[in-house]
Amino acid sequence: MRFPGFEAEWRKDKFGNIVTNTSPKFNPSKANGIVKCIELEHISSKTGELLGFIDGSQSGSIKNVFSKGDVLFGKLRPYLRKYFHTPFDGVCSSEIWVLSGKSIRNAFLYQLVQTDKFVELANQSSGSKMPRADWNLVKDGSFLFPTQDEQEKISVFLNAIDKRILTQSKIIQRLETLMRNLRERLFTQEIRLKDNSGAFFADWEFTILGEVVGIQGGFSFKSELFNNGETKVLRIGDITPNIFLSEFSGVSSVENPHKKYLVSKGDFLMALSGATFGKVGKIVDEGFAYINQRVATFKTDYNREFFYQLVQTKGFTSYINSIPTASAQPNISNTDIANFKFQMPSLKEQNSIANVLSTIDAKLRIETKVLIKYRNQKKHLLKNLFI
């Protein structure tokens, strides 16, 4: 893909010849005044947005100087998708490369470091405990780059997509904040809903979750039979806030378990093991799948959506997080979940609460799909605008 009017051949050169990696050491504690200091955790891996910074003049740690317009790239292996185009002068963590273009524009460089080719090159890291991208490997990598004018055209266009992604991300963040706040106020009864006559519903009554909800654990699929059949298997890694079975890319099996392990649209799942135990996901489109071991689903004759919201409240998550003992593999059981004590409203009020929160949920899903569309568009453009 090329923009009209550009026909010149792209030049080929080593990355180290077209980009400088200047990371001079600097001690913020000796600085006069406030120095904006960026750590890896301050940079969003999803949008390249700066989430915050610390006052470098109050930190005695050694940092790297950067100037306005430089490109920051996290060289620590788990953070290779961390990159930022700096709008100010400051200092940054020693685990961040400070990059600046010599024969390419920094705006173009910012997009270049997001390409699969560059990230794959940086992935050839050195070290074992804390692997880092190796500059000696990266600087010798060959890249093609166009004229300054074409660089400008490409970077301006991709920057516009970045702004769309950032704006869409903020829309979702605001909706998520609204959802969390409203959910807590409804479940703590700080806000009470009323019936059609304008009267409050009946008082909430104490119960335990296992008395009103059935917790169904998953089937013990044989991993050696994966990807040999058509039975979709939902594992812990497949649990995301919104689970789209129509876009399922996990494993399948030739086994056909009992229907009690079957889940479909509207069902919600919970991880029972690992670092993400307690995480919750909901199936939001048509289709069928079976849950694997250490994944639970919930069955009830009451309002299912109400309980989906309940297991995301601070009260429930605090309870769940208090259960596992210190071990390499934290676990929670069906019985642990069933013993959760809470106050439950009448079915009519459950329906009202579910309707209010599901409306916001539906809006979140719509906005999330828009965000995914923008991200896929950016990924496609990076792949096709760069040679």
Side-chain angles (χ1 to χ4, degrees):
M1 295 174 62
R2 294 188 78 176
F3 289 99
F6 296 100
E7 298 179 357
E9 292 291 327
W10 287 33
R11 285 181 54 199
K12 186 176 183 179
D13 207 340
K14 291 183 177 180
F15 191 76
N17 291 337
I18 60 176
V19 175
T20 59
N21 179 15
T22 55
S23 303
K25 298 300 181 181
F26 178 80
N27 192 335
S29 64
K30 297 178 181 179
N32 295 320
I34 296 175
V35 178
K36 294 178 180 178
C37 181
I38 298 175
E39 303 282 1
L40 278 173
E41 59 265 29
H42 294 148
I43 303 173
S44 169
S45 59
K46 294 182 178 179
T47 63
E49 177 190 12
L50 186 65
L51 304 177
F53 54 84
I54 59 176
D55 178 357
S57 65
Q58 296 177 5
S59 171
S61 58
I62 303 300
K63 306 295 175 181
N64 304 324
V65 176
F66 63 80
S67 301
K68 180 179 179 180
D70 285 342
V71 175
L72 306 185
F73 185 86
K75 65 178 179 179
L76 197 63
R77 185 68 178 274
Y79 300 98
L80 285 179
R81 288 291 183 183
K82 298 262 186 173
Y83 39 78
F84 181 59
H85 194 186
T86 59
F88 49 74
D89 298 337
V91 293
C92 63
S93 165
S94 58
E95 299 300 345
I96 297 175
W97 280 337
V98 179
L99 305 176
S100 182
K102 290 192 288 187
S103 54
I104 61 173
R105 294 174 179 267
N106 279 354
F108 182 82
L109 171 63
Y110 174 65
Q111 301 298 338
L112 176 63
V113 300
Q114 297 176 52
T115 61
D116 288 342
K117 180 178 179 179
F118 182 84
V119 174
E120 286 171 6
L121 191 60
N123 253 320
Q124 300 177 45
S125 50
S126 59
S128 54
K129 290 185 178 180
M130 294 291 283
R132 294 164 174 79
D134 189 333
W135 175 250
N136 289 323
L137 291 174
V138 172
K139 71 181 180 67
D140 288 333
S142 294
F143 289 86
L144 291 162
F145 60 98
T147 63
Q148 294 278 331
D149 287 344
E150 191 169 1
Q151 290 177 36
E152 177 72 9
K153 187 73 174 180
I154 291 172
S155 58
V156 168
F157 181 69
L158 291 178
N159 184 59
I161 303 295
D162 287 337
K163 288 181 178 178
R164 286 185 181 182
I165 291 173
L166 183 57
T167 298
Q168 191 64 24
S169 297
K170 291 185 181 299
I171 290 172
I172 292 171
Q173 289 170 10
R174 287 194 292 269
L175 284 171
E176 289 175 338
T177 300
L178 171 63
M179 170 66 89
R180 284 194 300 269
N181 292 340
L182 184 55
R183 181 193 292 130
E184 292 303 319
R185 297 180 72 186
L186 285 168
F187 278 88
T188 58
Q189 300 180 64
E190 181 182 343
I191 295 178
R192 288 293 307 275
L193 302 180
K194 297 179 179 180
D195 61 23
N196 293 333
S197 67
F200 287 110
F201 291 99
D203 290 341
W204 295 30
E205 298 182 354
F206 279 101
T207 187
I208 62 171
L209 193 60
E211 291 185 353
V212 291
V213 172
I215 299 100
Q216 176 62 57
F219 179 73
S220 182
F221 282 95
K222 296 180 178 64
S223 59
E224 62 269 22
L225 298 178
F226 283 158
N227 296 326
N228 291 320
E230 297 182 356
T231 299
K232 294 177 181 178
V233 181
L234 288 169
R235 300 180 295 175
I236 288 177
D238 299 313
I239 300 178
T240 55
N242 295 309
I243 301 170
F244 295 93
L245 293 181
S246 60
E247 302 172 8
F248 182 72
S249 59
V251 300
S252 58
S253 174
V254 294
E255 297 181 88
N256 290 299
H258 190 276
K259 64 180 181 180
K260 67 181 181 180
Y261 302 108
L262 188 67
V263 289
S264 58
K265 183 178 180 179
D267 286 328
F268 62 97
L269 318 178
M270 179 179 292
L272 302 182
S273 298
T276 58
F277 77 92
K279 72 173 177 176
V280 177
K282 182 180 181 182
I283 299 174
V284 296
D285 65 351
E286 300 294 340
F288 298 94
Y290 290 85
I291 54 174
N292 194 31
Q293 58 186 341
R294 308 311 300 155
V295 174
T297 189
F298 299 76
K299 310 292 184 180
T300 183
D301 292 329
Y302 293 91
N303 190 296
R304 181 174 48 178
E305 179 70 20
F306 172 84
F307 290 100
Y308 166 66
Q309 299 296 340
L310 171 69
V311 298
Q312 297 178 80
T313 61
K314 290 180 180 178
F316 182 84
T317 54
S318 295
Y319 165 76
I320 289 297
N321 288 331
S322 70
I323 294 170
T325 56
S327 65
Q329 182 76 357
N331 292 285
I332 51 177
S333 68
N334 293 4
T335 302
D336 292 329
I337 299 171
N339 286 336
F340 176 64
K341 188 177 182 180
F342 70 106
Q343 281 186 287
M344 188 175 79
S346 66
L347 179 58
K348 288 184 178 180
E349 190 168 3
Q350 289 177 37
N351 294 338
S352 295
I353 290 173
N355 288 339
V356 170
L357 296 178
S358 63
T359 299
I360 304 174
D361 248 351
K363 177 65 173 172
L364 263 170
R365 284 196 295 274
I366 292 171
E367 298 297 344
T368 300
K369 281 189 174 182
V370 173
L371 177 60
I372 291 172
K373 180 181 177 181
Y374 285 151
R375 285 178 175 164
N376 287 339
Q377 184 182 33
K378 173 69 182 288
K379 185 177 181 180
H380 174 77
L381 290 168
L382 283 173
K383 184 177 181 180
N384 290 280
L385 284 173
F386 288 78
I387 301 174

